[in-house]
Amino acid sequence: MQYSDFYRQSIDDPISFWAKEAKLIDWQQPFSEVLDYTNPPFTKWFVGGKTNLCHNAVDRWLASQGEKPALIAISTETNTEHTYTFNELHAEVNRTAAMMLSLGVKKGDRVLIYMPMIAEAAFAMLACARIGAVHSVVFGGFASKSLATRIDDAKPVLVISADAGMRGGKAVPYKPLLDEAIALASYKPERVLLVNRGLEAMTLAAGRDVDYASLREQHMDAEVPVTWLESNDISYILYTSGTTGKPKGVQRDVGGHAVALASSMQHIFCGKPGETYFATSDIGWVVGHSYIVYGPLIAGMATIMYEGTPIRPDAGIWWSIVEKYKVSRMFSAPTAVRVLKKHPSELMRKYDLSSLKALYLAGEPLDETTSSWIAKELGVPIIDNYWQTETGWPILTVANGVEPTPTRLGSPGITMYGFNVQILNESTGEECAANEKGVVVVKGPLPPGCMQTIYGDDQRFVQTYWSNFYEQQVYSTFDWGIRDADGYYFILGRTDDVINVAGHRLGTREIEESISSHPQVSEVAVVGVEDKLKGQVAVAFAILRNPDLIVNAAARMALEGEVMAVVDKQLGAVARPSRVHFVAMLPKTRSGKLLRRSIQAICEGRDAGDLTTIEDPASLVQIREALAL
Ligand code: AMP
């Protein structure tokens, strides 16, 4: 079938289109209505249908391939490797589900998962899905304050965590950060289940903390029946950064989510049952949810969970995994490829990569140099794909499973089926002509798999995403983009204050709030600045309460280190600015709005832009001087 016809059908007749796609998963009870869009922009997909993500990811495959690999957990940090067949995964998930039930978790309860990339994390997610609990995975790189904010919003009855993760050969403690987060949070989770990896000593809080291994022993033969959920019940919440300091809980449904993943695994990722999928992301991000845990398993593939860096023990590690497990589809981020590019290519060429059919890259713009380099080294198609935590699966890419489609350097591709993408002029709201820059928006209804709402805050969902254009209610991606005459899109960066560091999405407001908590800082601006390796890095400009503190360069550096340490402790090293500069004033408009874009432009050596509304141009000189120090 021609992709253009497939796409048109999805937009012109979404009901028949998605009714057909819905056949890719098992339903315990058929849906009575494909889409209820009577209350836009809220969508209800597959109304009345009952299904379960864990059933579709695990149980469904037991009969046909119970003894085939399902989850391959590899850690180059602890030098361990373990393959779970679908039967074994099923048994582990049943045990974990029984453990959760014994701790009082019920359908609809939230379970917060703060874990390293170990198999137990996947068991926990799938066990939640099995019993209808709502998981909220928090990236292990986040520290106590970030975690506390999420605990307060999700109000989990249970937290599942571990003693520590490991990175670059060093243990990264989780338990002390979790204890601190619970102390900081107003809401106190009743129970905490802890996996002890033997990496860091842990003290269990009496009455609250439970040892995972001991509890597992009590549930070895457990069989927990699947709880069938209505398609629009909540499957999970995943927090993501926005323009305020308060992260948004992206809430996803059950049925639409399962259908979107099954469908994208077939049409976009071209995965086949029995093959192996390797996504190098982390379960703390949306890629980890969609394409480490749920997507590949729903497609009957084995999925690899990898703890470690791309370059330890050497930069050949990922390719040795591809060879050993005959990976057919691999998913990573441009930053990781840029890291690999700094190492000798021989490390890659040493391995037999003939099983690999394509490498998918997402999360940040893919530059042409990186793309061409890796394409040459691997000799397989490199498929850029553009999407967001909010959408759960690609908005733009190519659907080679429908029709082989050429890619275009610098472009993540064409519109994916179900997404009615437009580029709108920021001020007039009119559709842009070919090659004209505007805001990338999607006309409702959003296809299955996209966020239902912001957890607990429907109004914020509508206000944040759907109220940016005066006359029309369209979903804003908050990305700038252009579409060329052939329908290929180019993404030109965010329209808001979200930055993208090594494919990790961070809100500058969150970092600013953290820095402001340093007793010496009276005001601060954080901007994202272009970086060759990480795409962007955060750079801070702070005003001190007492500028006399900086008596010399050593004092300045010490203070810079202190401010960075505050961010490390509160948000995690992932959010640490690469530099903290001290200035006496910050560029603002006459109405007091920070001119972050001008600061960013100066940092990147560009023109500071439109300054007609600037309060005091001398502030720009300060930025330049600070950068020169
Ligand atoms: P996240 O929700 O963390 O996945 O971040 C989503 C944001 O990352 C998007 O809104 C874009 O700004 C950026 N992004 C993701 N994928 C791509 C891509 N393939 N090309 C350019 N930007 C991307």
Side-chain angles (χ1 to χ4, degrees), residues 240-517:
T240 190
S241 302
T243 46
T244 69
K246 189 176 185 282
K248 297 172 284 197
V250 167
Q251 177 186 315
R252 202 149 268 135
D253 66 355
V254 176
H257 180 208
V259 170
L261 292 182
S263 162
S264 60
M265 283 304 299
Q266 184 171 96
H267 304 310
I268 300 174
F269 297 101
C270 312
K272 302 228 167 35
E275 292 181 356
T276 308
Y277 198 88
F278 179 19
T280 68
S281 181
D282 187 284
I283 48 152
W285 308 111
V286 70
V287 177
H289 286 63
S290 293
Y291 299 114
I292 294 178
V293 179
Y294 291 115
L297 293 174
I298 286 176
M301 299 177 83
T303 186
I304 293 179
M305 259 183 106
Y306 176 75
E307 179 184 49
T309 72
I311 51 169
R312 242 177 68 100
D314 62 44
I317 180 64
W318 283 359
W319 316 110
S320 76
I321 292 174
V322 170
E323 177 185 279
K324 180 165 178 189
Y325 293 99
K326 299 198 169 35
V327 170
S328 66
R329 308 276 156 179
M330 188 165 167
F331 192 128
S332 194
T335 293
V337 178
R338 288 194 287 266
V339 168
L340 291 175
K341 191 164 170 270
K342 294 177 137 189
H343 294 259
S345 314
E346 292 81 70
L347 290 168
M348 185 180 289
R349 298 206 193 106
K350 248 169 64 178
Y351 299 98
D352 173 7
L353 305 182
S354 55
S355 60
L356 193 65
K357 301 283 183 302
L359 172 69
Y360 299 83
L361 295 174
E364 53 180 315
L366 173 62
D367 56 283
E368 299 187 13
T369 326
T370 306
S371 176
S372 311
W373 176 78
I374 191 73
K376 192 170 106 271
E377 292 301 325
L378 290 180
V380 299
I382 306 303
I383 302 180
D384 189 358
N385 53 116
Y386 160 84
W387 47 296
Q388 312 179 297
T389 306
E390 288 85 345
T391 65
W393 62 286
I395 308 172
L396 303 173
T397 183
V398 287
N400 284 340
V402 180
E403 182 193 13
T405 309
T407 54
R408 208 164 268 195
L409 272 182
S411 161
I414 58 176
T415 327
M416 280 306 97
Y417 55 96
F419 289 98
N420 191 352
V421 179
Q422 295 181 343
I423 306 270
L424 299 188
N425 180 293
E426 187 194 19
S427 7
T428 64
E430 274 168 31
E431 225 180 319
C432 293
N435 298 316
E436 191 189 326
K437 179 177 166 181
V439 182
V440 181
V441 306
V442 185
K443 260 185 89 174
L446 291 179
C450 293
M451 73 191 291
Q452 289 178 294
T453 185
I454 292 177
Y455 180 66
D457 202 342
D458 284 351
Q459 208 187 343
R460 190 174 174 205
F461 172 63
V462 178
Q463 261 167 11
T464 305
Y465 295 104
W466 296 88
S467 311
N468 296 283
F469 291 90
Y470 179 62
E471 290 195 348
Q472 32 184 342
Q473 195 180 45
V474 286
Y475 169 86
S476 176
T477 61
F478 295 100
D479 281 304
W480 295 112
I482 55 171
R483 175 173 43 204
D484 71 12
D486 303 321
Y488 282 81
Y489 286 76
F490 295 80
I491 299 297
L492 307 170
R494 297 280 303 189
T495 66
D496 61 5
D497 296 320
V498 164
I499 61 172
N500 200 319
V501 179
H504 298 166
R505 173 163 159 186
L506 299 166
T508 51
R509 276 300 309 150
E510 278 169 88
I511 307 176
E512 284 170 4
E513 279 181 20
S514 173
I515 293 178
S516 300
S517 72

